[in-house]
Coordinates of all heavy atoms in Angstrom, one line a residue:
Chain C
A306 N 138.5 67.5 73.6 CA 138.9 68.9 73.4 C 137.8 69.8 73.8 O 136.6 69.3 73.8 CB 139.3 69.1 71.9
P307 N 138.1 71.0 74.2 CA 137.0 71.9 74.5 C 136.1 72.2 73.3 O 136.6 72.3 72.2 CB 137.7 73.2 75.0 CG 139.1 72.8 75.1 CD 139.4 71.6 74.3
I308 N 134.8 72.2 73.5 CA 133.9 72.6 72.5 C 133.0 73.7 73.0 O 132.8 73.9 74.2 CB 133.0 71.5 71.9 CG1 132.2 70.9 73.1 CG2 133.8 70.5 71.2 CD1 131.2 69.8 72.7
A309 N 132.5 74.6 72.2 CA 131.7 75.7 72.6 C 130.6 75.9 71.6 O 130.8 75.9 70.4 CB 132.5 77.0 72.8
T310 N 129.4 76.1 72.1 CA 128.3 76.4 71.1 C 128.5 77.8 70.5 O 128.8 78.8 71.1 CB 126.9 76.5 71.9 OG1 126.8 75.4 72.8 CG2 125.8 76.5 70.9
L311 N 128.5 77.8 69.1 CA 128.7 79.0 68.4 C 127.4 79.7 68.1 O 127.3 80.9 68.4 CB 129.4 78.7 67.1 CG 129.7 79.8 66.1 CD1 130.7 80.8 66.7 CD2 130.3 79.3 64.8
D312 N 126.4 79.0 67.6 CA 125.1 79.5 67.5 C 124.1 78.4 67.4 O 124.4 77.2 67.2 CB 125.0 80.5 66.3 CG 125.4 79.8 65.0 OD1 124.8 78.7 64.6 OD2 126.2 80.4 64.3
L313 N 122.9 78.7 67.6 CA 121.8 77.8 67.8 C 120.5 78.3 67.4 O 120.2 79.5 67.7 CB 121.9 77.4 69.3 CG 120.9 76.4 69.9 CD1 121.7 75.7 71.1 CD2 119.6 77.0 70.5
R314 N 119.7 77.6 66.7 CA 118.4 78.0 66.3 C 117.4 77.0 66.8 O 117.5 75.8 66.7 CB 118.2 78.1 64.8 CG 116.7 78.3 64.5 CD 116.4 78.4 63.0 NE 115.0 78.3 62.8 CZ 114.3 79.1 61.9 NH1 115.0 79.9 61.2 NH2 113.0 79.0 61.8
I315 N 116.3 77.4 67.5 CA 115.2 76.6 68.0 C 113.9 77.0 67.3 O 113.6 78.2 67.2 CB 115.1 76.8 69.5 CG1 116.3 76.4 70.3 CG2 113.9 76.1 70.0 CD1 116.4 75.0 70.6
D316 N 113.2 76.0 66.9 CA 111.8 76.2 66.5 C 110.9 75.5 67.5 O 111.1 74.3 67.7 CB 111.6 75.6 65.1 CG 112.3 76.4 63.9 OD1 111.8 77.5 63.6 OD2 113.3 75.9 63.5
Y317 N 110.1 76.3 68.1 CA 109.1 75.6 69.1 C 107.9 75.2 68.3 O 107.1 76.1 67.8 CB 108.8 76.7 70.1 CG 109.9 77.0 71.0 CD1 110.6 78.3 70.9 CD2 110.4 76.2 71.9 CE1 111.7 78.6 71.7 CE2 111.5 76.5 72.8 CZ 112.1 77.7 72.6 OH 113.2 78.1 73.4
L318 N 107.6 73.9 68.3 CA 106.5 73.4 67.5 C 105.2 73.2 68.3 O 104.2 73.3 67.7 CB 107.0 72.0 66.9 CG 108.3 72.1 66.2 CD1 108.8 70.7 65.8 CD2 108.2 72.9 65.0
R319 N 105.3 72.9 69.5 CA 104.1 72.8 70.3 C 104.6 72.9 71.8 O 105.7 72.7 72.1 CB 103.4 71.4 70.1 CG 104.2 70.2 70.5 CD 103.3 69.0 70.5 NE 104.1 67.8 70.9 CZ 104.3 67.5 72.2 NH1 103.8 68.2 73.2 NH2 105.0 66.4 72.5
P320 N 103.6 73.2 72.7 CA 104.0 73.2 74.1 C 104.4 71.8 74.6 O 103.8 70.9 74.2 CB 102.7 73.7 74.8 CG 101.8 74.3 73.7 CD 102.2 73.5 72.5
S321 N 105.3 71.8 75.5 CA 105.7 70.5 76.1 C 104.5 70.0 77.0 O 103.8 70.9 77.6 CB 106.9 70.7 76.9 OG 107.4 69.5 77.6
T322 N 104.3 68.8 77.0 CA 103.2 68.2 77.8 C 103.4 68.4 79.3 O 104.4 67.9 79.8 CB 103.0 66.7 77.5 OG1 102.9 66.6 76.0 CG2 101.7 66.2 78.1
P323 N 102.5 69.0 80.0 CA 102.7 69.1 81.5 C 102.8 67.8 82.2 O 102.2 66.8 81.7 CB 101.4 69.8 81.9 CG 100.9 70.5 80.7 CD 101.3 69.7 79.6
E324 N 103.6 67.7 83.2 CA 103.9 66.5 84.0 C 104.7 65.5 83.3 O 105.2 64.5 84.0 CB 102.6 65.9 84.5 CG 101.5 66.8 85.1 CD 102.0 67.3 86.5 OE1 103.0 66.8 87.1 OE2 101.5 68.4 86.9
A325 N 105.0 65.6 82.0 CA 105.7 64.6 81.3 C 107.3 64.9 81.2 O 107.6 66.1 81.2 CB 105.2 64.4 79.9
P326 N 108.1 63.9 81.3 CA 109.5 64.2 81.1 C 109.8 64.7 79.6 O 109.0 64.4 78.8 CB 110.2 62.9 81.3 CG 109.1 61.9 81.0 CD 107.8 62.5 81.4
L327 N 110.8 65.5 79.5 CA 111.2 66.0 78.2 C 112.5 65.3 77.7 O 113.5 65.3 78.5 CB 111.4 67.5 78.2 CG 111.7 68.2 76.8 CD1 110.4 68.2 75.9 CD2 112.2 69.6 77.0
Y328 N 112.5 64.8 76.5 CA 113.7 64.1 75.9 C 114.2 65.0 74.8 O 113.5 65.8 74.2 CB 113.3 62.7 75.4 CG 113.0 61.7 76.4 CD1 111.7 61.6 77.0 CD2 113.9 60.9 76.9 CE1 111.3 60.7 77.9 CE2 113.6 59.9 77.9 CZ 112.3 59.9 78.4 OH 112.0 59.0 79.4
A329 N 115.5 64.8 74.5 CA 116.1 65.4 73.4 C 117.1 64.4 72.7 O 117.8 63.7 73.4 CB 116.9 66.7 73.7
R330 N 117.0 64.3 71.4 CA 117.9 63.5 70.6 C 118.6 64.4 69.7 O 118.0 65.1 68.9 CB 117.1 62.4 69.9 CG 118.0 61.4 69.1 CD 117.1 60.4 68.3 NE 117.9 59.4 67.7 CZ 118.6 59.6 66.5 NH1 118.5 60.8 66.0 NH2 119.3 58.7 66.1
V331 N 119.9 64.4 69.7 CA 120.7 65.3 68.8 C 121.8 64.5 68.1 O 122.4 63.7 68.7 CB 121.3 66.5 69.6 CG1 122.1 67.4 68.6 CG2 120.3 67.3 70.4
E332 N 121.9 64.8 66.8 CA 122.9 64.1 66.0 C 123.9 65.2 65.5 O 123.6 66.3 65.1 CB 122.1 63.6 64.8 CG 123.1 62.9 63.8 CD 122.4 62.7 62.4 OE1 121.2 63.1 62.2 OE2 123.0 62.0 61.5
C333 N 125.2 64.9 65.7 CA 126.2 65.7 65.0 C 126.4 65.1 63.6 O 127.0 64.0 63.5 CB 127.5 65.6 65.8 SG 128.9 66.4 65.1
Y334 N 125.9 65.8 62.6 CA 125.9 65.2 61.3 C 127.0 65.7 60.4 O 127.1 65.2 59.2 CB 124.5 65.5 60.6 CG 124.2 66.9 60.3 CD1 124.4 67.4 59.0 CD2 123.8 67.8 61.3 CE1 124.1 68.7 58.7 CE2 123.5 69.1 61.0 CZ 123.7 69.6 59.7 OH 123.4 70.9 59.4
K335 N 127.8 66.6 60.8 CA 129.0 67.0 60.0 C 130.0 67.6 60.9 O 129.8 68.4 61.8 CB 128.4 68.1 59.1 CG 129.5 68.7 58.2 CD 129.7 68.0 56.9 CE 130.8 68.6 56.0 NZ 130.9 67.9 54.8
L336 N 131.3 67.1 60.7 CA 132.4 67.6 61.5 C 133.4 68.1 60.5 O 133.9 67.4 59.6 CB 132.9 66.4 62.3 CG 133.9 66.7 63.4 CD1 133.4 67.4 64.5 CD2 134.5 65.4 63.9
T337 N 133.8 69.4 60.7 CA 134.9 70.0 59.9 C 136.1 70.3 60.8 O 136.0 69.9 62.0 CB 134.5 71.2 59.1 OG1 134.3 72.3 60.0 CG2 133.2 71.0 58.4
R338 N 137.1 70.9 60.3 CA 138.3 71.2 61.1 C 138.0 72.0 62.4 O 138.5 71.7 63.4 CB 139.3 71.9 60.2 CG 140.7 71.9 60.8 CD 141.7 72.4 59.7 NE 141.3 73.6 59.2 CZ 141.7 74.9 59.6 NH1 142.6 74.9 60.5 NH2 141.3 76.0 59.0
N339 N 137.1 73.0 62.2 CA 136.9 74.0 63.3 C 135.5 73.9 63.8 O 135.2 74.4 64.9 CB 137.2 75.4 62.8 CG 138.7 75.7 62.6 OD1 139.4 75.3 63.4 ND2 139.0 76.2 61.5
V340 N 134.6 73.4 63.0 CA 133.2 73.6 63.3 C 132.4 72.2 63.2 O 132.7 71.4 62.3 CB 132.5 74.5 62.3 CG1 131.0 74.7 62.6 CG2 133.1 76.0 62.4
A341 N 131.5 72.0 64.1 CA 130.7 70.8 64.1 C 129.2 71.3 64.0 O 128.8 72.3 64.6 CB 130.8 70.0 65.4
F342 N 128.4 70.5 63.1 CA 127.0 70.9 62.9 C 126.2 69.8 63.6 O 126.4 68.6 63.4 CB 126.8 70.9 61.4 CG 127.5 71.9 60.6 CD1 128.8 71.7 60.2 CD2 127.0 73.2 60.3 CE1 129.6 72.7 59.5 CE2 127.7 74.1 59.6 CZ 129.0 73.9 59.2
A343 N 125.2 70.3 64.3 CA 124.3 69.3 64.9 C 122.8 69.7 64.7 O 122.5 70.9 64.5 CB 124.6 69.3 66.5
R344 N 122.0 68.7 64.7 CA 120.5 69.0 64.7 C 119.8 68.0 65.5 O 120.3 66.8 65.7 CB 120.0 69.0 63.2 CG 120.1 67.7 62.6 CD 119.7 67.7 61.1 NE 120.3 66.6 60.5 CZ 120.7 66.5 59.2 NH1 120.6 67.6 58.4 NH2 121.2 65.4 58.7
G345 N 118.7 68.4 66.0 CA 117.9 67.4 66.9 C 116.6 67.9 67.2 O 116.1 69.0 66.8
T346 N 115.9 67.1 68.0 CA 114.5 67.5 68.4 C 114.3 67.2 69.9 O 115.0 66.3 70.5 CB 113.5 66.6 67.7 OG1 113.8 65.3 67.8 CG2 113.4 67.0 66.2
A347 N 113.4 67.9 70.5 CA 113.0 67.6 71.8 C 111.5 67.1 71.8 O 110.8 67.5 70.9 CB 113.0 68.9 72.7
Y348 N 111.2 66.1 72.6 CA 109.9 65.5 72.5 C 109.5 64.9 73.9 O 110.3 64.8 74.8 CB 109.9 64.4 71.5 CG 111.1 63.4 71.6 CD1 110.9 62.2 72.4 CD2 112.3 63.7 71.1 CE1 111.9 61.3 72.5 CE2 113.4 62.8 71.3 CZ 113.2 61.6 72.0 OH 114.2 60.7 72.2
N349 N 108.2 64.6 74.1 CA 107.8 64.0 75.3 C 107.8 62.5 75.1 O 108.8 61.8 75.2 CB 106.4 64.5 75.7 CG 106.5 66.0 76.1 OD1 105.7 66.8 75.5 ND2 107.3 66.4 77.1
A350 N 106.7 61.9 74.8 CA 106.6 60.5 74.7 C 107.1 60.0 73.3 O 107.7 58.9 73.2 CB 105.2 60.0 75.0
D351 N 106.9 60.7 72.3 CA 107.0 60.2 70.9 C 107.9 61.2 70.1 O 107.6 62.4 69.9 CB 105.6 60.2 70.3 CG 105.6 59.6 68.9 OD1 106.7 59.4 68.4 OD2 104.6 59.4 68.3
E352 N 109.0 60.7 69.6 CA 109.9 61.5 68.9 C 109.3 62.1 67.6 O 109.7 63.1 67.1 CB 111.2 60.7 68.5 CG 112.3 61.6 68.1 CD 113.6 60.8 67.9 OE1 113.7 59.6 68.4 OE2 114.5 61.2 67.2
R353 N 108.2 61.4 67.1 CA 107.6 61.9 65.9 C 106.6 63.0 66.1 O 106.0 63.5 65.2 CB 106.9 60.7 65.2 CG 107.8 59.7 64.6 CD 107.1 58.4 64.4 NE 106.5 57.9 65.6 CZ 105.8 56.8 65.7 NH1 105.5 56.0 64.6 NH2 105.2 56.4 66.9
D354 N 106.4 63.4 67.4 CA 105.6 64.5 67.7 C 106.4 65.5 68.5 O 106.2 65.7 69.8 CB 104.4 64.0 68.5 CG 103.4 65.1 68.9 OD1 103.4 66.1 68.2 OD2 102.7 65.0 70.0
P355 N 107.4 66.1 67.9 CA 108.3 66.9 68.6 C 107.8 68.2 69.2 O 106.8 68.8 68.7 CB 109.4 67.3 67.5 CG 108.7 67.1 66.2 CD 107.6 66.1 66.4
V356 N 108.4 68.6 70.3 CA 108.1 69.9 71.0 C 108.9 71.0 70.3 O 108.5 72.1 70.2 CB 108.5 69.7 72.5 CG1 108.6 71.1 73.1 CG2 107.5 68.8 73.2

Side-chain angles (χ1 to χ4, degrees):
Chain C
I308 57 174
T310 313
L311 178 62
D312 56 54
L313 182 148
R314 171 184 170 135
I315 297 279
D316 291 285
Y317 293 105
L318 306 173
R319 66 167 181 84
S321 182
T322 308
E324 310 294 340
L327 184 71
Y328 290 84
R330 184 182 184 282
V331 183
E332 176 194 7
C333 173
Y334 68 100
K335 176 90 178 181
L336 191 68
T337 71
R338 195 169 53 97
N339 288 315
V340 177
F342 298 82
R344 65 186 158 213
T346 53
Y348 52 95
N349 295 123
D351 182 355
E352 195 176 341
R353 291 161 304 178
D354 181 25
V356 165

